[in-house]
């Protein structure tokens, strides 16, 4: 794959950092993080070396799904601050040359959004059709067999008007009807609102769901459904055929993109899943849809395995059209912490090197840079609707716990004596930013080195990618090259040493090891990688 590196845009060259505002830094003493907290940590983020901040939702919300149930698309929930605080955040980030990406939740609103209150008030209300209402099935049950991602049916009956409304998440998240032109115009207006406030991009929530099958047909049963599924897991029992990723969705994507393109240098990122051949279509046939359909392939349903990771990257590189820019995600607010899921904390360093040296835009989830792990949440503290409905073992709270800033009470996330909205990790005394800043070989310093090197090295932020066949099992080796420099990345995914022979190369210099203890010339016909070690080598 060719890319020059020189004329790249900020969202190609840069690194995105996801902030879950509830859990980043509380400045008001209510145990919930806020936008002022983000402002106070901008210097930290600047020093870390990230280029763009993606903020998970901070809109007014009853918090049925912690902000992914939006009651007003054009305001800030008082929990997080107000519009003036948001404006200060944008200005302060831009002063540091950092971009602001916000979450946009176009598939569903809160059931407390005035639009939905109007819509449910009567069948005749002009906004009735802004949501998806259907008559009951002949037996009085839901109109079709779709299930909610969070358990139970995807339909709730409204007694007052005698119809069901669609919600593929909580019942408090009714789905908007993107086939209605007025709704569409109103949603595009919400984009305008933030674009004019200086927002640089949007992370668009469950963007593949916007358009549903026109006839809302039943989904087929899932032949591979696990027999262990909870009784209420209707979603797991069906294949997702008619509820997502409809061809007509691409028409909407192009309209959204054209809308953004009226503004300079903005970026559209979309949350998408699905098979590679369908996923890649979200770049648009001519690059006229999303800039970055989020690529979760390295973290989805995959074990931490060198061969499989390579296969995933190579498959992606092979399907991308020349105009399409890759991107990689290893963790977010919906998944287990990467240091917990991927080969344990020792391999989290290898994961960091992988994420920050592949060709394409990386997204770091807050706390990954200090190796935060899942935090066990006692059942009585579970907050996430997914955990409450589908079993505590499925709660996403485990990866949403307070950022660990220092060894003081509550890890410096909120004032001592205040109860944070989720428990702080038990080991925060050792695992926190302040300790890691003082420890030369810490995870935090590894991230900083990787980010500094990436930013300074055209081959790393913009060069070509080429996998290298090596005979050592459990190792993933690739080249990153630009016109004047060639780099080799060699990652040992095993908890045991490996010796790698790199064909066609003789000498190089280790510039960075994930162990942070060697910088030395090496021979590439006999390259030793210690257990859990990744190295970044400048080639001669
Ligand atoms: C996305 C979000 C997730 C949320 C869901 C419903 O998947 O990432 O956190 O629960 O959409 O909005």
């Amino acid at each position: 794959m060719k890319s020059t590196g020189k004329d790249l845009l900020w969202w190609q060259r840069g690194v995105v950092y996801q902030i879950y505002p509830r859990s980043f830094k509380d400045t008001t003493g209510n145990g919930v993080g806020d936008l002022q907290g983000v402002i106070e940590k901008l210097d930290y983020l600047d020093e870390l070396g990230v280029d763009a901040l993606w903020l998970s939702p901070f809109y007014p919300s009853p918090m049925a799904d912690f902000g992914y149930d939006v009651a007003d698309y054009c305001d800030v929930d008082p929990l997080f601050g107000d519009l003036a605080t948001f404006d200060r955040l944008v200005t302060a980030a831009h002063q540091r040359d950092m971009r602001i990406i916000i979450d946009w939740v176009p598939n569903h609103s809160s059931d407390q959004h005035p639009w939905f209150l109007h819509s449910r008030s009567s069948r005749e209300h002009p906004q009735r059709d802004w949501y998806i209402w259907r008559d009951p099935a002949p037996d009085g049950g839901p109109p079709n067999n779709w299930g909610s991602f969070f358990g139970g049916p995807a339909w709730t009956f409204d007694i007052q008007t005698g119809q069901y409304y669609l919600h593929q998440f909580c019942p408090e998240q009714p789905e908007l009807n993107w086939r209605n032109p007025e709704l569409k115009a109103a949603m595009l207006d919400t984009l305008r609102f933030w674009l004019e406030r200086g927002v640089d991009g949007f992370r668009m929530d469950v963007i593949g769901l916007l358009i549903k099958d026109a006839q809302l047909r039943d989904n087929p049963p899932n032949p591979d459904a696990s027999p262990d599924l909870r009784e209420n897991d209707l979603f797991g029992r069906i294949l997702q055929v008619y509820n997502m990723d409809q061809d007509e969705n691409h028409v909407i994507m192009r309209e959204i993109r054209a809308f953004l393109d009226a503004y300079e240098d903005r970026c559209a990122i979309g949350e998408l899943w699905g098979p590679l051949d369908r996923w890649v279509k979200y770049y648009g046939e001519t690059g006229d849809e999303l800039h970055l359909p989020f690529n979760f392939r390295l973290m989805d349903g995959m074990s931490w395995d060198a061969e499989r990771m390579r296969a995933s990257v190579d498959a992606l590189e092979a399907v991308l059209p020349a105009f399409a820019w890759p991107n990689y995600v290893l963790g977010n607010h919906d998944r287990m912490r990467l240091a917990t899921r991927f080969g344990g904390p020792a391999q989290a360093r290898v994961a960091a090197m992988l994420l920050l040296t592949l060709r394409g835009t990386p997204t770091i989830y807050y706390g990954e840079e200090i190796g935060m792990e899942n935090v066990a949440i006692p059942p009585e503290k579970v907050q996430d609707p997914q955990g409450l409905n589908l079993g505590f073992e499925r709660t996403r709270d485990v990866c949403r716990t307070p950022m660990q800033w220092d060894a003081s009470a509550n890890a410096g996330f909120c004032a001592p004596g205040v109860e944070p909205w989720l428990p702080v990790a038990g080991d925060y005394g050792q695992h926190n930013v302040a300790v890691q800043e003082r420890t030369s070989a810490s995870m935090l310093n590894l991230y900083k080195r990787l980010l500094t090197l990436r930013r300074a090295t055209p081959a790393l932020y913009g060069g070509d990618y080429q996998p290298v066949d090596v005979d050592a099992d459990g190792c993933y080796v690739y080249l990153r090259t630009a016109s004047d420099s060639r780099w080799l990345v060699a990652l040992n995914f095993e908890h045991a040493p490996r010796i790698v022979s790199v064909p066609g190369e003789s000498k190089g210099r280790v510039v960075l090891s994930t162990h942070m203890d060697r910088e030395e010339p090496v021979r590439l016909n006999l390259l030793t990688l210690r257990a859990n070690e990744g190295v970044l080598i400048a080639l001669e």
Side-chain angles (χ1 to χ4, degrees), residues 295-306 308-309 312 328-332 335-355 363 368 371-374 443 447 492-495 532:
N295 168 29
F296 301 132
R297 287 189 169 68
L298 292 187
M299 75 175 175
D300 257 4
M302 294 181 66
S303 53
W304 188 239
D305 173 293
R308 293 182 71 178
M309 290 291 159
S312 172
Y328 294 95
V329 179
L330 286 182
N332 65 23
R335 306 301 156 104
M336 279 166 62
R337 283 277 177 190
L338 94 78
T340 303
R341 76 200 317 252
F342 287 151
Q347 281 290 325
R349 288 173 171 258
V350 175
M353 187 172 273
L354 172 73
L355 180 69
T363 299
E368 269 168 18
M372 274 175 68
E373 295 180 53
N374 279 5
M443 181 71 106
Y447 268 85
N492 179 4
F493 280 56
E494 303 297 319
H495 301 301
N532 308 308

Side-chain angles (χ1 to χ4, degrees), residues 65 68 105 108 150 169 173 203 205-206 271 273 333-334 396 400:
D65 189 18
Y68 285 95
V105 191
H108 42 267
F150 296 157
F169 295 90
Q173 294 168 293
R203 174 272 185 189
D205 191 62
V206 292
E271 185 199 16
W273 323 281
H333 63 293
D334 294 329
R396 298 171 295 178
R400 298 175 175 179

